[in-house]
Amino acid sequence: MGQDIQHHAFTQADFREFEARLQAETALLERWFAENVFADGPRETGFELEAWLIDRRHQAPAPIIDAFFEQLQDPLIVPELARFNLELNSTPEPLCGQAFSRLYAELERTLAHCQAAAATLNAQVGTIGILPTVRPDHLVPAQMTPRPRYRALNEQILRLRDGEPIRLEIEGERPVLIEQPDVMLESAATSFQIHFKIAAVESARVFNASKLLAAITVAIGANSPYLFGRELWCETRIPLFEQAVSVGDSPLRERVGFGIRYAEDSVMECFRSNLTRYPVLLPNLMDEPVERLAHLRLHNGTIWRWNRPLIGFDAGPSGAQCPHLRMEHRVVAAGPSAIDNIANAAFYCGAVQALASEPRPPERSLPFNQARINFYLAAQKGLNAEIPWYDHPARMPIHQLIRQHILPKARRGLNALGIDRDEIDTWLGVIEARAATRRTGAAWQRAWVARHGPDMAALTEAYLAHQATGKPVHEWTLD
């Protein structure tokens, strides 16, 4: 859920001062875009992978984050909203040569470190979009990680809702309809967030290409078909997260969503809308120079676009900090395996590079509203969703679209980035096999339940056993 703050109680004076600083930092960022002062180094990628702590005996969420971190000393691993969540981060990796194999090796080491720490507490770490055994009684304030940021977010979202409970309503064979008096529903949704470093001059193209690709990547990475024992969307995490932090206002002001249009000139348009459309949630005042954009970055971190531009800083040759831009692609679920997650990253990086480099911008051929429809249809129906594409206007199942149209583009994109040919074959081969078999994490879970019945604890146990083999999900059996 982002960077921490020091306290959770704020005054009206805090809000006024924060808004003034936010305006000043947004004006400075506008100038930076106009003058193109951003770092223009080589492409880089990285990720954030959210995970669950799971009780080995009951296969249920294990709220042991404090004890877990006592066993663990790793700067790449940080707590999340609930006491049973954590986040694994990568170091930035230049997009060349064997980039994705290096990311995979680092992720494997980090996961092994986490598993060793969890084992001392009779628990394990699992990566899955929504844990099948999670229940509403797990998602209560007593299970919130004791960090001021989370308490403040909860208080401020409820303030914007005038104290009205959050309403969760998701369609399915047995729809979910509940009311929640806090934001803890968000902790049931874990994702794999892919970062892609970009130049300012191409930011609109990359942003728009990421929106086009969101339907494709949410379908191929779907891994959240069950919530509270009910079969819902292939990627139920999408409506769950959107509704879990809803402020109950105009759709233009909701904190999670697909957006309302493509970018025209640059992603500076997103930062302008942050200032004008989204009320401040965390007016935490920081003693930082305006050039650090501390308040702008904190505010941006409370607006969870499915494709979100980020500002970071690199050390320049003289030691001075130089700003850079990243695109954060947030639509893919955590899991099913480390191989699957890194393959998803390779697929996105290659495809977004290719689409953003085409002579005619693809977004000119697919209206924004259709891209939005594609995204939610893909989240519901996964690889079987039939959608139009910018260079194939007739509707086609996504699994065919991937194999016939998008994988060749992703291959060209990775080749243009300088990724080794055998590396491209390895990681896009995982995507090809997954699309050919239509065996995503969501599809495997549904097939397992069809064979063995709706025992969510047994499903979780079988899932974790397969995950432990390290094999990609298209190779999993239904044992």
Side-chain angles (χ1 to χ4, degrees), residues 216-228:
I216 308 303
T217 53
V218 80
I220 197 69
N223 197 25
S224 310
Y226 295 103
L227 176 64
F228 307 147

Side-chain angles (χ1 to χ4, degrees), residues 242-279:
E242 290 191 350
Q243 296 177 47
V245 291
S246 169
V247 297
D249 201 341
S250 159
L252 295 178
R253 292 155 70 93
E254 290 292 8
R255 314 300 285 207
V256 185
F258 189 76
I260 59 173
R261 63 178 178 84
Y262 294 126
E264 296 179 4
D265 298 314
S266 75
V267 296
M268 183 63 219
E269 296 156 32
C270 294
F271 293 100
R272 289 192 206 109
S273 69
N274 287 0
L275 180 65
T276 59
R277 283 174 35 205
Y278 296 99

Side-chain angles (χ1 to χ4, degrees), residues 141-163:
Q143 302 298 355
M144 185 181 292
T145 300
R147 294 172 70 187
R149 177 186 178 88
Y150 303 137
R151 183 172 175 182
L153 280 171
N154 185 60
E155 292 172 352
Q156 295 302 319
I157 287 174
L158 293 178
R159 177 183 63 82
L160 292 177
R161 296 182 62 84
D162 295 324

Side-chain angles (χ1 to χ4, degrees), residues 38-220:
F38 294 94
D40 193 21
R43 283 271 199 253
E44 291 180 351
T45 190
F47 62 79
E48 300 168 46
L49 175 60
E50 296 165 343
W52 296 80
L53 288 165
I54 303 168
D55 184 310
R56 282 189 180 274
R57 180 179 177 187
H58 301 290
Q59 308 302 324
I64 56 171
I65 196 69
D66 293 334
F68 175 78
F69 274 102
E70 286 180 7
Q71 301 290 324
L72 192 76
Q73 296 295 325
D74 192 327
L76 293 177
I77 305 165
V78 296
E80 263 286 344
L81 174 60
R83 294 175 184 267
F84 45 74
N85 292 146
L86 61 147
E87 180 182 276
L88 289 67
N89 293 273
S90 73
T91 51
E93 187 63 52
L95 271 167
C96 60
Q98 301 282 318
F100 298 102
S101 291
R102 293 191 294 270
L103 280 177
Y104 172 68
E106 180 182 57
L107 177 56
E108 285 280 89
R109 290 192 299 271
T110 307
L111 282 169
H113 194 190
C114 289
Q115 294 290 14
T120 67
L121 302 167
N122 199 29
Q124 57 191 321
V125 172
T127 57
I128 186 169
I130 298 174
L131 188 67
T133 53
V134 72
R135 303 188 307 267
D137 59 278
H138 294 129
L139 309 177
V140 294
Q143 302 298 355
M144 185 181 292
T145 300
R147 294 172 70 187
R149 177 186 178 88
Y150 303 137
R151 183 172 175 182
L153 280 171
N154 185 60
E155 292 172 352
Q156 295 302 319
I157 287 174
L158 293 178
R159 177 183 63 82
L160 292 177
R161 296 182 62 84
D162 295 324
E164 288 292 318
I166 290 167
R167 182 181 175 90
L168 179 67
E169 185 172 4
I170 306 176
E171 296 179 354
E173 288 189 10
R174 295 168 58 213
V176 166
L177 176 58
I178 64 172
E179 289 190 342
Q180 181 89 2
D182 49 63
V183 300
M184 283 298 290
L185 284 167
E186 190 276 333
S187 64
T190 64
S191 64
F192 178 69
Q193 299 153 21
I194 306 164
H195 290 229
F196 188 70
K197 191 174 181 181
I198 59 175
V201 294
E202 64 182 349
S203 63
R205 290 289 307 270
V206 174
F207 182 70
N208 296 343
S210 296
K211 285 185 178 289
L212 285 170
L213 285 167
I216 308 303
T217 53
V218 80
I220 197 69

